[in-house]
Amino acid sequence: MPATTVVLFGATGDLAKRKLLPGMLHLHESQLLEGLRIVATSLEDLTRDEFLDLVVDSVRTHSSRDVTDEDLREFADRIHWVPGSGGPAALRQAVLDSEEILGSGARRLHYLSVPPAAALAVVRQIAAAGLVERSRIIMEKPFGTDLASARKLNAELHEVFAEEQIFRIDHFLGKEPAQNILAFRFANGLFEPIWHRNHIDHIQIDVPETLGLEQRADFYEATGAYRDMVVTHLFQVLAFTAMEPPTSLEPSAITEEKSKVFRSMLTIDPHDVVRGQYVGYRDEEGVAPDSETETFVALKCFVDNWRWAGVPFFLRTGKRMSEGARIISIAFKEPPRTMFPPSSGVGDDGPDHLTFDLADRARMSLSFYGKRPGPGMALDKLSMQFSMQDTDWAGAALEAYERLIYDAARGDATLFTRAEGIERLWEISQPLLDNPPPVRPYQQGTWGPNQIHQLVAPFAWRLPFERPWRDPNLMGA
């Protein structure tokens, strides 16, 4: 793997401090990106020493790993600082200085940790600095706000970068549990033969959040929960869940299967969508007093192909909800008839479920009916659970942004979205964007408006769980 200069735009921002700078330190220390140097730039007019103080404070505060003073000194030596006032010329010189140290053949990875409105200005700055050659670019969401804006954005990007150079980041797919879906589905003969409409009743992808706006009112008022979360996150997870077996694990093969899922999705019917807004949202600073922006959305959608015809996918996400979670729940069909007596309890707790927890602990659960010990035929819902924390290799997991930076530096586009895919998702979303259903209020700390139960009927939402996850720390206590 060639040495890489990461050009980090927005280097003093919140994402850079919480995730990107600690993550790049770990990638270097783990020798995954051993030949790494960083050119950091921001609109803030800091000296290099002031920026390095910020780096040290960020790593000490936010790194999930032990970091020594020696680690920090060695990392600081690899950082070049360019104030935004220096313009394209200063940026180019800093990159050339970095590449003189790294040697010939070094690659460039531009990370745009900037607000969406500033992205194209940064792209033009890269072009003006002559830094497009031998480079890749990572872009943060959203990738447009509708079909027209997505097409315009992609057209302007393609004036500077080829599509193969562009990596649209979705940190959900950088998490180990999300990638484990591929391994679980395609490496196990037990589940792949039943992964279709004949055996699966419905699928839920549920990402509630307890957080509020976190001082992002300007951004959120222009997007809302659907644009912010569904198009760029939940639909991407849906594609991993629903895709056909790729011909290989090569990025192009996996990307093609994800694109086929997007092409097979039916347009979103506004009648199959519930929009909500938590009580108190309009009192937040920067929010219009009559705002109709949704902070919650739940919807039913369909992948209209041979494998999934007629199987509903239920998606839900929202702010200020009862708990934070990230799950995929596969509900299997119940037997066509039962031989068990009505008092047995079979069917009382709904269908069998296979559940993936996409949170950092990486857990999976399979629920099923089993006989209760003793006389008679009484059945209870049982659960088998697996946790990454139970293994010896849990500590080897990369955090989401670390994995995605590493993949982009290698040119591996498996976990990234192409222009074709994002434009198709805006295309199927257009009927909803043109005719959104009314925004309904919900109390903070709940699971959303009451209308979500009619949306999912005759099924029930998997969250909140009736049976808690097993805590490995309490086993044997």
Side-chain angles (χ1 to χ4, degrees):
M1 181 173 173
T4 302
T5 297
V6 177
V7 186
L8 178 58
F9 296 88
T12 59
D14 183 61
L15 178 62
K17 289 188 284 189
R18 287 188 301 108
K19 296 293 185 181
L20 305 182
L21 291 167
M24 284 188 281
L25 170 59
H26 178 246
L27 287 174
H28 171 68
E29 291 293 322
S30 64
Q31 299 184 330
L32 288 171
L33 286 181
E34 190 174 9
L36 170 70
R37 297 192 73 84
I38 299 168
V39 172
T41 184
S42 162
L43 294 179
E44 293 191 43
D45 195 17
L46 304 178
T47 66
R48 183 173 186 273
D49 286 342
E50 288 173 331
F51 178 71
L52 291 182
D53 288 341
L54 180 149
V55 172
V56 170
D57 182 62
S58 298
V59 171
R60 291 204 183 281
T61 303
H62 299 292
S63 179
S64 59
R65 302 173 176 89
D66 293 332
V67 179
T68 67
D69 291 341
E70 180 60 30
D71 294 334
L72 286 168
R73 281 193 295 271
E74 207 272 340
F75 187 54
D77 288 342
R78 294 178 169 271
I79 295 176
H80 306 253
W81 167 247
V82 183
S85 58
L91 185 67
R92 176 177 176 79
Q93 188 58 53
V95 173
L96 294 179
D97 290 345
S98 171
E99 292 178 346
E100 184 175 351
I101 297 170
L102 293 177
S104 61
R107 297 199 64 93
R108 302 157 181 167
L109 179 63
H110 305 290
Y111 196 120
L112 274 57
S113 181
V114 299
L120 287 176
V122 173
V123 169
R124 297 186 188 102
Q125 183 182 11
I126 294 170
L131 298 175
V132 176
E133 185 183 4
R134 290 183 285 110
S135 74
R136 302 183 178 104
I137 180 172
I138 296 179
M139 298 194 63
E140 288 280 344
K141 69 176 180 73
F143 315 118
T145 55
D146 56 20
L147 180 58
S149 61
R151 284 176 171 166
K152 183 175 184 294
L153 174 62
N154 287 328
E156 295 192 40
L157 284 173
H158 291 156
E159 291 177 3
V160 178
F161 291 97
E163 177 62 26
E164 291 71 26
Q165 293 176 281
I166 303 170
F167 290 74
R168 298 168 185 82
I169 197 167
D170 172 19
H171 70 272
F172 272 42
L173 295 187
K175 294 180 178 295
E176 286 286 344
Q179 299 162 53
N180 211 19
I181 297 170
L182 294 181
F184 191 88
R185 283 191 59 190
F186 301 129
N188 295 294
L190 177 62
F191 287 100
E192 177 54 28
I194 62 172
W195 206 267
H196 54 72
R197 68 187 188 284
N198 290 348
H199 298 282
I200 291 178
D201 198 57
H202 64 279
I203 293 175
Q204 295 181 27
I205 301 174
D206 213 343
V207 186
E209 297 180 296
T210 57
L211 298 174
L213 296 189
E214 307 301 307
Q215 287 141 10
R216 299 167 69 224
D218 290 344
F219 166 78
Y220 209 78
E221 275 286 273
T223 54
Y226 186 84
R227 289 178 170 92
D228 181 38
M229 291 291 292
V230 176
V231 174
T232 50
H233 288 326
L234 273 65
F235 280 159
Q236 308 302 323
V237 175
L238 184 153
F240 262 53
T241 308
M243 62 188 278
E244 295 294 322
T247 55
S248 70
L249 281 180
E250 291 298 313
S252 58
I254 294 175
T255 298
E256 174 58 23
E257 296 306 330
K258 287 167 55 185
S259 296
K260 287 180 182 177
V261 172
F262 298 147
R263 291 196 292 267
S264 298
M265 290 180 68
L266 298 178
T267 54
I268 306 301
D269 186 341
H271 294 97
D272 290 334
V273 179
V274 175
R275 297 167 69 232
Q277 185 184 94
Y278 65 77
V279 176
Y281 172 76
R282 295 177 181 179
D283 299 327
E284 302 269 10
E285 184 178 352
V287 174
D290 58 349
S291 173
E292 291 295 308
T293 300
E294 79 277 0
T295 62
F296 169 96
V297 65
L299 63 142
K300 176 170 61 175
C301 59
F302 295 90
V303 178
D304 192 28
N305 61 16
W306 193 269
R307 182 181 292 264
W308 297 112
V311 176
F313 288 74
F314 296 100
L315 281 56
R316 177 172 63 168
T317 186
K319 300 285 188 185
R320 298 286 189 196
M321 298 186 70
S322 178
E323 66 182 67
R326 298 166 182 169
I327 72 152
I328 304 171
S329 189
I330 315 293
F332 292 100
K333 289 187 175 180
E334 299 189 68
R337 64 181 306 275
T338 179
M339 67 195 71
F340 297 96
S343 60
S344 67
V346 68
D348 289 353
D349 295 311
D352 300 339
H353 283 88
L354 173 65
T355 302
F356 295 89
D357 184 349
L358 302 189
D360 294 332
R361 295 185 66 178
R363 300 178 292 193
M364 291 184 292
S365 169
L366 178 63
S367 68
F368 51 89
Y369 285 99
K371 182 184 178 300
R372 187 186 307 163
M377 184 56 74
L379 278 66
D380 286 325
K381 208 59 178 275
L382 307 175
S383 177
M384 289 195 305
Q385 298 185 11
F386 161 81
S387 172
M388 182 82 73
Q389 305 305 315
D390 295 340
T391 68
D392 293 334
W393 28 268
L398 293 178
E399 293 187 359
Y401 280 99
E402 295 171 356
R403 172 63 187 261
L404 293 166
I405 292 171
Y406 174 63
D407 282 356
R410 295 188 302 136
D412 185 340
T414 300
L415 303 177
F416 298 86
T417 305
R418 293 179 62 85
E420 172 197 1
I422 205 69
E423 289 179 14
R424 171 58 183 166
L425 292 176
W426 285 121
E427 183 180 5
I428 67 171
S429 301
Q430 203 61 48
L432 171 63
L433 302 180
D434 292 339
N435 297 288
V439 170
R440 303 182 185 277
Y442 65 96
Q443 294 295 326
Q444 298 185 38
T446 67
W447 290 99
N450 288 332
Q451 287 76 10
I452 62 171
H453 302 296
Q454 284 116 30
L455 175 69
V456 79
F459 315 117
W461 289 101
R462 183 73 167 140
L463 283 175
F465 288 127
E466 294 180 1
R467 289 173 302 282
W469 285 101
R470 174 177 59 84
D471 187 342
N473 297 323
L474 300 180
M475 295 300 292

